[in-house]
Amino acid sequence: RSASSATGYQSASSATGYRSASSATGYQSASSATGYQSASSATGDQSASSATGYQSASSVDGIGAVAMSIGRLSKSKAGKGGAIVCVYRDDDWNLVHIRASKVGENGIEPDVYYTLNSAGEFVAVRTIGAITGATHDH
């Protein structure tokens, strides 16, 4: 349950562990979180956020910012001017699909979490907690 935070131009933050959280704020900042239900957030133009781990979440806010989540049942969101990267992994964690999109394209709305379904299609995740339920097919 680690936590890390960094603020400032080209700042970097990383956290590893069960339910870890990482946040970085500032132009070209980077944030990374690894672990079960981890969360990563980066704010600032051209910032980057990545989250790995089961049910992890990645989010960014800023022009040219990219959020990437690559764990099983993970989700990503970006603000206006940003982009997301999502994957779909099967029950054995095999990588089945990977897809990226800029906000405003492919039906991707700003400030909404997305994941991929088993067909490799973006699906909005409207719940705050775990990625389960009727919002998509896992």
Side-chain angles (χ1 to χ4, degrees):
R1 296 187 183 182
S2 60
S4 176
S5 178
T7 304
Y9 176 78
Q10 295 181 335
S11 62
S13 174
S14 178
T16 303
Y18 178 79
R19 292 188 179 171
S20 61
S22 175
S23 176
T25 303
Y27 177 76
Q28 294 182 337
S29 61
S31 174
S32 175
T34 303
Y36 179 82
Q37 294 182 337
S38 61
S40 174
S41 175
T43 304
D45 291 349
Q46 300 175 356
S47 60
S49 171
S50 68
T52 62
Y54 183 72
Q55 295 181 341
S56 60
S58 176
S59 66
V60 293
D61 187 23
I63 296 170
V66 178
M68 177 178 74
S69 59
I70 58 172
R72 187 163 184 282
L73 302 178
S74 60
K75 58 188 176 181
S76 298
K77 79 172 179 174
K80 187 176 180 180
I84 62 171
V85 178
C86 298
V87 302
Y88 177 82
R89 294 182 181 272
D90 65 18
D91 292 341
D92 295 321
W93 279 77
N94 295 308
L95 180 62
V96 178
H97 300 289
I98 183 168
R99 192 164 178 203
S101 181
K102 295 190 320 188
V103 171
E105 297 178 4
N106 303 302
I108 303 301
E109 300 174 22
D111 303 316
V112 174
Y113 276 105
Y114 289 89
T115 189
L116 294 185
N117 64 18
S118 60
E121 302 165 326
F122 285 115
V123 178
V125 179
R126 306 269 182 206
T127 59
I128 295 173
I131 306 173
T132 59
T135 59
H136 58 287
D137 66 339
H138 284 286

